[in-house]
Amino acid sequence: MASFGYVPNAKFSIPYKTIEEANIHLIEKPPHEHDALIATLPHEPVYERPFSIGHPLRLYKGVWIAEKMLRGTLVMQQCFKSCPTDIFLASFPKSGTTWLKAMAFSTLTRTKCSLDKHPLLTHNPHQCVPYMELQFATGRRQIIDVIPSPRLMSTHLPYFLLPDSIKESSCRIVYIWRDPKDVLISAWHFAQKILGGPDKMATFDQFYEFFCQGLYSFGPIWNHILEYWEESKRRPEKILFLKYENILQEPVKYAKQLAHFIGCPFSESEENQHVVEQIVELCSIKKMKDFDVNKDGDLVTSSTNVHISKAYFFRKGEVGDWKSHMTQEMAERLDTLIKEKFEGSGLQI
Ligand code: PAP
């Protein structure tokens, strides 16, 4: 049996997909109670383009959100009740969500799953950790209630749009952010895969311009990052603020920090047995890309008939891929924009 801090008698860890399958009867009709309000909001007229993956983007309180996710958000704000043991993984899309899900899930479940039978070998990280706006948008609010504690969940919502119960309870939030230039490039590739190629969507130059205007799901990106940053400074015990590039450089250091923050630090004996390194290895893009489960099959087929393949979440996983796509002028313009927005905050790209 491969080691992994594995304790044979511990209760087996459960990916969200398994909980969902066991509780299909709890799924309700998708909510439509806020449709009248949503219909009054400004919307992006070129919504068939990539920014919202087939759903119109609506401008809600200064944030661009795909209509479907906004439906989920509004219901979630009304009825989600957070517990002190909850752990939320928060991010702007394409900033390292999949990786953080894998790391947090395997860290939390390390004593319950052996390395050779780990759920990440048979489940995509998005099937292990539920994306909250989507669950609420698709009538799964009651399933969220039956996830055993500690519940590990994810969100792309900006901090101010989180349900009050998350902000007020002592639950924890781990936020990951990334150089916006690489986020833009990752988003561009993701959109191309989903929409079926460059001829079916905005040109790269147009995509860049929209991104710089804040026009992308959950944008503008700078507000998203800044708000979690400010809140993490105010309440470091509540929000762990991580940077994708730093984790890539020193994965073991940040894996330990993550484990400590989510309440399950590695013991000396685990460290001696290299459990941290094993988790880092299991969650590396090189490994994850190679798992059969992540090679084919859709994660979601949306109501707009958009297929999101599990493989789309693993591309290069590198720092600085923007260099092969953006001109120097484009990069400098986006950097300047972000620097201006971050000015005085102490945050640097
Ligand atoms: P999401 O918001 O749609 O869930 P998210 O996981 O945040 O996407 O971002 C995907 C990016 O994370 C991709 O970056 P790239 O396009 O620049 O390559 C993807 O390759 C990268 N990624 C996915 N898994 C890992 C991993 N295990 N390690 C490092 N990077 C990863």
Side-chain angles (χ1 to χ4, degrees):
M1 178 75 66
S3 71
F4 196 41
Y6 173 57
V7 179
N9 295 330
K11 211 171 130 212
F12 193 73
S13 148
I14 315 166
Y16 175 69
K17 184 169 178 263
T18 312
I19 300 170
E20 188 186 79
E21 283 166 0
N23 291 283
I24 292 277
H25 59 284
L26 294 179
I27 300 178
E28 302 161 347
K29 284 200 179 114
H32 285 284
E33 58 255 49
H34 299 287
D35 284 10
L37 163 76
I38 293 172
T40 66
L41 300 173
H43 65 95
E44 164 50 45
V46 285
Y47 62 78
E48 69 277 15
R49 296 204 187 150
F51 337 104
S52 61
I53 313 175
H55 289 274
L57 279 184
R58 293 280 182 177
L59 187 62
Y60 180 68
K61 299 188 176 180
V63 182
W64 288 103
I65 308 188
E67 209 173 87
K68 178 177 174 178
M69 297 311 169
L70 184 53
R71 277 193 204 111
T73 300
L74 295 174
V75 176
M76 184 173 151
Q77 285 177 339
Q78 267 180 339
C79 58
F80 181 74
K81 292 277 167 284
S82 179
C83 310
T85 50
D86 287 343
I87 300 161
F88 286 90
L89 308 179
S91 59
F92 189 83
K94 302 298 145 203
S95 301
T97 324
T98 314
W99 190 16
L100 184 61
K101 283 186 179 189
M103 292 283 288
F105 181 77
S106 51
T107 300
L108 212 57
T109 61
R110 66 184 185 270
T111 56
K112 299 161 193 153
C113 319
S114 68
L115 194 51
D116 51 357
K117 289 192 185 133
H118 198 277
L120 282 174
L121 302 177
T122 47
H123 296 76
N124 177 276
H126 293 285
Q127 296 174 318
C128 295
V129 183
Y131 169 32
M132 295 298 279
E133 295 84 286
L134 182 64
Q135 304 316 311
F136 278 83
T138 53
R140 284 161 167 79
R141 59 178 129 179
Q142 289 197 54
I143 301 190
I144 296 299
D145 288 342
V146 300
I147 302 175
S149 160
R151 294 186 296 181
L152 184 61
M153 297 165 277
S154 82
T155 180
H156 283 317
L157 285 178
Y159 185 78
F160 83 101
L161 288 183
L162 291 177
D164 288 342
S165 123
I166 299 181
K167 289 182 269 188
E168 287 159 12
S169 94
S170 53
C171 71
R172 274 156 290 184
I173 301 174
V174 182
Y175 185 75
I176 187 165
W177 75 290
R178 185 182 189 186
D179 181 338
K181 300 192 292 305
D182 280 337
V183 172
L184 189 159
I185 299 306
S186 186
W188 165 249
H189 284 283
F190 188 68
Q192 282 198 43
K193 285 175 192 149
I194 286 175
L195 297 178
D199 51 324
K200 304 229 170 56
M201 54 187 277
T203 64
F204 179 70
D205 286 8
Q206 288 169 324
F207 190 84
Y208 170 91
E209 291 301 332
F210 282 120
F211 194 88
C212 291
Q213 289 165 29
L215 199 53
Y216 189 76
S217 273
F218 301 97
I221 187 171
W222 45 88
N223 289 349
H224 203 284
I225 300 169
L226 262 181
E227 216 197 340
Y228 278 98
W229 166 243
E230 297 295 353
E231 204 51 37
S232 76
K233 280 197 295 184
R234 214 168 64 80
R235 291 200 289 168
E237 73 294 347
K238 182 164 184 77
I239 304 184
L240 176 64
F241 191 81
L242 297 174
K243 192 171 188 205
Y244 180 92
E245 289 79 359
N246 294 345
I247 309 177
L248 260 189
Q249 214 165 22
E250 293 181 279
V252 170
K253 171 179 160 184
Y254 288 101
K256 287 184 195 170
Q257 194 180 0
L258 173 67
H260 187 268
F261 186 79
I262 62 179
C264 50
F266 294 102
S267 65
E268 209 181 315
S269 129
E270 283 182 307
E271 288 198 19
N272 290 340
Q273 290 171 48
H274 305 291
V275 172
V276 195
E277 286 81 358
Q278 287 169 18
I279 287 182
V280 165
E281 168 83 0
L282 174 75
C283 299
S284 68
I285 188 160
K286 193 165 167 285
K287 276 265 172 183
M288 301 221 79
K289 236 182 172 172
D290 231 32
F291 298 156
D292 284 344
V293 64
N294 293 325
K295 281 187 184 157
D296 55 26
D298 286 349
L299 192 61
V300 185
T301 302
S302 78
S303 51
T304 50
N305 231 3
V306 170
H307 301 275
I308 303 184
S309 160
K310 285 178 273 181
Y312 295 172
F313 292 90
F314 307 93
R315 197 179 63 92
K316 286 190 171 175
E318 289 170 1
V319 175
D321 193 35
W322 59 266
K323 288 178 194 145
S324 43
H325 296 80
M326 280 185 204
T327 62
Q328 198 55 33
E329 198 186 347
M330 282 172 141
E332 279 168 19
R333 208 182 113 204
L334 184 50
D335 276 346
T336 305
L337 173 71
I338 300 290
K339 269 184 204 148
E340 279 170 14
K341 302 287 180 188
F342 283 4
E343 200 172 345
S345 72
L347 192 60
Q348 289 184 342
I349 303 173

